[in-house]
Amino acid sequence: MIQPSAPVVPAAVGAIGVPVGRWPGGVIATDAVEPQAAVPGPRLPTVLRSDVWQVGVLPATGGALTHGRVLVDGTWRDLLRPTGPAGFLAAERCASFPLVPWSNRIVDGVLPFRGRRWRLSRNAADGTAIHGAGLGYPWRVDAQSPTRLDLSLDSRALIGVNFPWRFRATVSYALHGPSLTVGTTLENVDDEPFPAGFGHHPYFRRSLETWHEERTARPHGRPAAASASGAHLQVPAGRGYALDRAVAVGPSGAIPPHADYTDLRPVGAEFVNDVLTRLTPGEPVRIVYPESGVEVLVDLDEIYSHVVVYVPRNRASFAVEPVTHVNGGFALHDAGVRGTGVFVLEPGERRAGSFRMTVRV
């Protein structure tokens, strides 16, 4: 039986535009943690800088990134999808964003676990719960330097969190030489175990041309990457999944041909929204821009056992998402399917992982 829904409290909007209310069956804020402080003033990114990278971070918008620029032949180029000011209030419109305490979709918003089922808010157009529960809240800045930013989110201090259990998450962004390292931790601060996962959702440019050049050369928004001169991708994976509306319907199996990036090849123009797994230990994901002489190596900690590849049609960017578990993993895990990547956190238990993007010019 699905857990009974609680009465709905009409949502209000706080000083920084964050909804304060509760979803049916949602978690009520407690007195155990001091409420997270609002971020004063306009939402402008905190910019981290190194000799190779410029990275903009929006703590107030779910800890998302506004841009990730790299220095190529003396010119700063957008490697990640750049975000205009109009997108500073919406994490999913940004260059990249954290996914906690789960990644991707939960079908119909129904989360099953050990004989119980919870109904989450269905916040995607396809009727699923999507992209975790941390994007609608400001993240606390715990530490900051010119090359590093540490953020945290504690759901005990929040109202209306779209997850039945209390959790604490941290995200760090750190620049060192040619690398950007993104670290994530997830901790169970509830009094019972729960299933969990995490990930990050970076969008990469199909071409390292400037936005103006791309729009001028390609009216109607047609991207350069459909040609062989655009981005090439290699994901050292051995298995994929059969999906129904972007959600896995069973254990991993053969990689669908349209999503097979085992060998380096153009990202292409065909629509892809797939999950790859059984990654080769020690081998990075590679993104290569032949026209610019740039290669990006994405090294993943072992906990990131899955990679989501999302290639929308007629867009100037594509996503390569390091994640701990498959789309729809909670339901598969509850059904006893192995290899989903879902982990169960006991009270007080914490999991952590990081991935590193290294630019070679």
Side-chain angles (χ1 to χ4, degrees):
M1 175 179 293
I2 295 177
Q3 295 295 103
S5 297
V8 179
V9 177
V13 176
I16 56 172
V18 177
V20 288
R22 61 180 295 185
W23 57 277
V27 179
I28 304 174
T30 73
D31 296 329
V33 176
E34 178 184 354
Q36 300 202 175
V39 179
R43 286 196 197 186
L44 298 176
T46 298
V47 180
L48 308 178
R49 293 181 172 87
S50 71
D51 292 339
V52 179
W53 284 88
Q54 295 178 349
V55 176
V57 188
L58 287 171
T61 306
L65 302 184
T66 59
H67 62 270
R69 299 184 184 119
V70 296
L71 191 63
V72 180
D73 296 331
T75 300
W76 289 102
R77 298 285 188 176
D78 282 299
L79 173 64
L80 302 183
R81 177 181 74 178
T83 311
F88 286 2
L89 298 179
E92 289 169 309
R93 296 177 61 184
C94 290
S96 189
F97 43 88
L99 307 170
V100 293
W102 83 85
S103 163
N104 211 276
R105 290 168 169 80
I106 298 175
V107 174
D108 296 327
V110 176
L111 196 170
F113 183 60
R114 295 183 178 176
R116 294 186 290 173
R117 296 200 298 168
W118 285 264
R119 174 82 72 181
L120 277 61
S121 176
R122 294 177 289 177
N123 56 344
D126 60 6
T128 63
I130 195 169
H131 290 161
L135 297 183
Y137 299 95
W139 288 55
R140 186 190 300 274
V141 176
D142 293 328
Q144 181 177 350
S145 76
T147 59
R148 184 182 177 101
L149 192 65
D150 295 339
L151 308 176
S152 65
L153 183 78
D154 195 319
S155 74
R156 293 172 294 181
L158 306 172
I159 295 174
V161 179
N162 199 22
F163 194 65
W165 298 278
R166 293 168 291 182
F167 66 91
R168 183 178 186 274
T170 70
V171 170
S172 64
Y173 301 107
L175 301 179
H176 181 73
S179 299
L180 164 62
T181 300
V182 180
T184 303
T185 69
L186 183 62
E187 180 182 4
N188 182 344
V189 293
D190 211 301
D191 55 8
E192 65 180 47
F194 60 73
F198 55 79
H200 223 275
H201 201 307
Y203 282 96
F204 294 88
R205 299 293 302 281
R206 283 181 174 264
S207 170
L208 297 190
E209 298 174 84
T210 66
W211 184 256
H212 173 73
E213 289 168 346
E214 193 168 281
R215 297 295 292 184
T216 300
R218 295 167 187 84
H220 313 301
R222 295 189 62 82
S227 71
S229 64
H232 287 50
L233 174 64
Q234 181 179 23
V235 182
R239 297 177 75 87
Y241 287 87
L243 306 177
D244 179 16
R245 292 175 293 178
V247 174
V249 297
S252 64
I255 299 175
H258 69 275
D260 189 351
Y261 293 96
T262 306
D263 297 318
L264 185 69
R265 69 173 177 89
V267 170
E270 185 176 1
F271 178 77
V272 178
N273 191 5
D274 280 80
V275 189
L276 305 176
T277 189
R278 196 166 291 182
L279 306 175
T280 303
E283 288 193 24
V285 174
R286 298 172 63 214
I287 303 170
V288 178
Y289 296 89
E291 81 282 10
S292 303
V294 173
E295 180 179 25
V296 182
L297 305 180
V298 185
D299 291 284
L300 311 175
D301 280 357
E302 185 177 357
I303 195 170
Y304 294 103
S305 59
H306 292 70
V307 172
V308 176
V309 178
Y310 173 55
V311 182
R313 294 188 183 93
N314 297 324
R315 294 292 185 271
S317 59
F318 64 98
V320 180
E321 309 164 38
V323 298
T324 61
H325 62 84
V326 67
N327 307 355
F330 287 162
L332 293 177
H333 176 269
D334 193 62
V337 175
R338 296 188 176 186
T340 64
V342 172
F343 50 82
V344 175
L345 289 178
E346 298 294 330
E349 187 179 2
R350 183 177 72 122
R351 294 286 182 96
S354 64
F355 66 92
R356 182 176 68 251
M357 295 187 284
T358 301
V359 176
R360 292 180 174 177
V361 179

